[in-house]
């Protein structure tokens, strides 16, 4: 029987993650919390801000009098690919991205071509940052970056509600501070 997530165990609507049958190292949290639902719209907007200008520039180039005929073929191929990318990847990212702040560590999964599962023990946390770009502010979202001395780089949890991100940074800061004061 797959393990239940903390939220599902408390009666929340969150389902168990797809990899619920995978055994975990003792004490490691299972990433079960998803980004805020508004993250889908944020990712969609980001994609459209790239795809639409590229397709518009390509169409404008194809409409010039001296344009080569093969440009229409390129446009015909790139339009469905670009639109499919813009519309489908935000939902896939929402399905894959997960995070959890357990008793001893922060855990996050991300990626869409290759999936990455990162666990950061509280004893290894060096800095905690919260970031809000212009589009994130428009959608009321934030990203929390947990930095360690690891060569793999920081763990970034994206698409969090601003209030939840602020609360997460405060909570993790207090937990790390308590560990440092204990001398560990």
């Amino acid at each position: 029987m797959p393990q239940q997530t903390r939220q599902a165990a408390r009666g929340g609507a969150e389902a168990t993650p797809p990899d619920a049958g995978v055994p975990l190292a003792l004490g490691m949290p299972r990433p079960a919390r998803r980004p805020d639902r508004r993250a889908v719209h944020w990712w969609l907007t980001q994609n459209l801000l790239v795809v639409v200008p590229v397709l518009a520039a390509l169409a404008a180039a194809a409409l010039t009098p001296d344009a080569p005929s093969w440009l229409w073929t390129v446009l015909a191929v790139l339009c469905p690919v670009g639109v499919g990318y813009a519309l489908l990847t935000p939902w896939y990212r929402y399905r894959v991205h997960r995070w959890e702040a357990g008793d001893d560590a922060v855990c996050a999964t991300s990626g869409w071509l290759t999936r990455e599962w990162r666990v950061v023990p509280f004893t290894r946390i060096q800095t905690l940052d919260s970031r809000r770009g212009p589009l994130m502010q428009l959608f009321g979202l934030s990203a929390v970056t947990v930095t360690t001395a690891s060569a793999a780089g920081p763990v970034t949890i994206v698409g969090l509600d601003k209030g939840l991100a602020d609360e997460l940074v405060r909570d993790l800061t207090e937990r790390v501070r308590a560990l440092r004061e204990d001398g560990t």
Side-chain angles (χ1 to χ4, degrees):
M1 179 172 126
Q3 296 176 352
Q4 288 186 335
T5 63
R6 291 173 199 228
Q7 193 171 10
R10 283 183 252 147
E14 188 73 34
T16 56
D19 60 349
V22 177
L24 295 173
L26 192 59
M28 293 297 156
R30 178 174 306 287
R33 300 184 70 171
R34 289 185 175 191
D36 191 280
R37 185 81 164 190
R38 292 171 289 175
V40 173
H41 303 291
W42 169 56
W43 286 320
L44 176 64
T45 304
Q46 282 182 318
N47 289 351
L48 290 175
L49 286 173
V50 172
V51 169
V52 170
V54 168
L55 292 178
L58 192 57
L63 289 172
T64 60
D66 297 332
S69 60
W70 57 264
L71 209 49
W72 286 105
T73 306
V74 170
L75 185 62
V77 169
L78 287 182
C79 273
V81 170
V83 170
Y85 168 82
L87 297 178
L88 297 177
T89 58
W91 291 102
Y92 185 72
R93 288 179 76 180
Y94 180 75
R95 185 178 167 270
V96 171
H97 285 232
R98 309 266 183 172
W99 68 277
E100 188 73 46
D103 296 332
D104 300 321
V106 176
C107 182
T109 58
S110 62
W112 46 292
L113 288 178
T114 60
R115 293 190 187 176
E116 179 179 56
W117 179 39
R118 303 272 308 273
V119 177
V120 178
F122 291 154
T123 56
R124 299 290 185 197
I125 294 175
Q126 290 184 337
T127 61
L128 293 161
D129 301 304
S130 180
R131 178 178 45 90
R132 297 184 73 212
L135 275 179
M136 292 175 103
Q137 291 179 34
L138 181 67
F139 289 100
L141 299 172
S142 289
V144 172
T145 303
V146 180
T147 307
T148 67
S150 169
V155 173
T156 302
I157 304 167
V158 297
L160 299 178
D161 177 73
K162 181 195 177 308
L164 178 61
D166 293 343
E167 179 184 324
L168 178 64
V169 169
R170 274 193 302 274
D171 180 50
L172 292 177
T173 301
E174 289 302 317
R175 290 182 186 192
V176 170
R177 183 177 296 139
L179 284 174
R180 301 279 196 284
E181 289 173 358
D182 286 348
T184 56

